[in-house]
């Protein structure tokens, strides 16, 4: 069974920082892992993702403030969020494009989400 478990969300004042973590289990290999966020009534949007070779990509609104990194040995991806703004408030979801092993195909897996609330 594949599980992506997120942690690190919470309530923070504007200009503060949070670090999100997502650890994957039940996965043999993954191509990329990323963070998405969603607010009520809106679609889920990509925030940042990182590939197996370490290449990163960020949505424009977080460039220079957020940093994604990964620990391949631990199947864990992190999102360091600095200079947070109220508009960063959302539920943040971890996603992995991964392979469970023989007999399975590559597919997307999602975590359960963690709430980030930034107040001014």
């Amino acid at each position: 069974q594949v599980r992506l478990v997120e942690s690190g969300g919470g309530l923070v004042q504007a200009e503060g920082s949070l670090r999100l973590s997502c650890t994957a289990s039940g996965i043999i290999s993954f191509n990329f892992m990323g963070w998405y966020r969603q607010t009520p009534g809106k679609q889920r949007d990509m925030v940042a993702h990182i590939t197996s070779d370490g290449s990163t990509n960020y949505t424009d609104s977080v460039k220079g403030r957020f940093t994604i990194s990964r620990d391949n040995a631990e199947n864990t991806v992190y999102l360091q969020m600095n200079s947070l703004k109220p508009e960063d408030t959302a539920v943040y979801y971890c996603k992995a494009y991964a392979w469970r092993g023989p007999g399975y195909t590559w597919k997307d897996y999602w975590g359960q989400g963690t709430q980030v609330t930034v107040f001014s």
Side-chain angles (χ1 to χ4, degrees), residues 1-100:
Q1 181 181 359
V2 174
R3 293 188 66 202
L4 272 65
V5 179
E6 300 123 330
S7 62
L11 183 67
V12 65
Q13 192 169 18
E15 295 305 314
S17 298
L18 283 174
R19 188 192 195 207
L20 306 183
S21 299
C22 171
T23 298
S25 60
I27 291 175
I28 300 297
S29 179
F30 61 97
N31 185 341
F32 79 86
M33 294 183 76
W35 290 95
Y36 290 68
R37 64 187 179 187
Q38 188 173 26
T39 54
K42 300 283 185 68
Q43 68 179 19
R44 192 173 297 183
D45 293 324
M46 191 275 290
V47 176
H49 73 251
I50 184 166
T51 63
S52 57
D53 65 358
S55 298
T56 59
N57 189 36
Y58 299 90
T59 191
D60 286 345
S61 63
V62 308
K63 287 180 180 177
R65 299 188 298 123
F66 292 9
T67 302
I68 190 169
S69 61
R70 61 194 276 172
D71 182 335
N72 289 337
E74 298 295 329
N75 278 353
T76 298
V77 64
Y78 304 97
L79 186 67
Q80 179 66 43
M81 305 186 293
N82 299 327
S83 301
L84 282 160
K85 304 176 181 180
E87 50 264 43
D88 295 316
T89 295
V91 178
Y92 283 70
Y93 295 90
C94 175
K95 172 183 163 181
Y97 182 65
W99 180 58
R100 290 183 64 182

Side-chain angles (χ1 to χ4, degrees), residues 99-117:
W99 180 58
R100 290 183 64 182
Y104 296 93
T105 60
W106 285 82
K107 62 178 289 187
D108 290 332
Y109 297 92
W110 291 91
Q112 80 286 354
T114 184
Q115 177 70 45
V116 171
T117 303

